[in-house]
Amino acid sequence: MLGQIVSVNVGKPKELIYKGKSIQTGIEKQPVDKPLLLTKVNFVGDGQADLVNHGGEDKAVCVYPFEHYAYFSSEVGLSLSYGAFGENLTLLGLTEEKVCIGDEFQIGEAVVQVSQPRQPCFKLAHRHDTKDLPLRFQETGYTGFYFRVLSEGVVSKEDSVQFLRRHQDEITISYINEVQYKDKSNKEKVKKILRVPFLSQSYQKTFMKRLQLLEKQN
């Protein structure tokens, strides 16, 4: 499995007005051509405003598949540039049905690992003035995903994304999205997801709460 970097995108948090209220958000990323150091928590030059729901070691790099740009351009009517969905890496060849939790990749000097799906939030709707955009992410499964950084290093747009290894359970991002948003009451699938040791802490908590609720119902 080989991925290609279409764009590297970074941006610092800035103030925006949403429904008459001021919010801080780092969703507005801009493409950069120069090599950047990827640290354990982000690319140098990048930042997140809401560190409860974004950022941290489990969500150091937000990834979005280039393949989905066509859908949001043609079906939703959005005018898009790279980084449009707040992603740090716009990648070709690594979609949600191909990528599994725990997959490791070499990107330039850095080694990264898939940790969880991306959770679409209201700031996507605000940025593109499209109220149902987060819901469309959920319904299509075109969520993107996150990398944690196992080994820091310099990354450039010209670098390839080389697959290194995969966890034996092979739980794809698409599988998790299906259980998260559609097949919510499937206890066995929830248990299967929780058995993957490389799932982010926040998603472990989410699915543990789901499992506890389902067991109470039975």
Side-chain angles (χ1 to χ4, degrees), residues 1-33:
M1 180 166 46
L2 180 68
Q4 177 185 340
I5 298 177
V6 177
S7 183
V8 179
N9 318 294
V10 297
K12 291 290 189 179
K14 58 187 294 186
E15 183 179 18
L16 296 176
I17 304 300
Y18 180 72
K19 293 184 177 180
K21 296 182 180 180
S22 173
I23 61 171
Q24 290 287 328
T25 176
I27 197 170
E28 294 195 3
K29 309 296 185 187
Q30 300 298 323
V32 293
D33 291 326

Side-chain angles (χ1 to χ4, degrees), residues 59-77:
K59 293 178 279 187
V61 181
C62 183
V63 178
Y64 202 73
F66 171 74
E67 288 86 343
H68 304 331
Y69 268 64
Y71 168 81
F72 287 105
S73 177
S74 62
E75 298 299 320
V76 187

Side-chain angles (χ1 to χ4, degrees), residues 10-16 22-29 41-42 45-56 59-60 86 88 121-123 146:
V10 297
K12 291 290 189 179
K14 58 187 294 186
E15 183 179 18
L16 296 176
S22 173
I23 61 171
Q24 290 287 328
T25 176
I27 197 170
E28 294 195 3
K29 309 296 185 187
V41 293
N42 59 18
D46 192 49
Q48 298 83 28
D50 178 6
L51 294 178
V52 174
N53 296 302
H54 303 284
K59 293 178 279 187
N88 300 116
C121 71
F122 73 92
K123 294 176 183 178
Y146 283 101

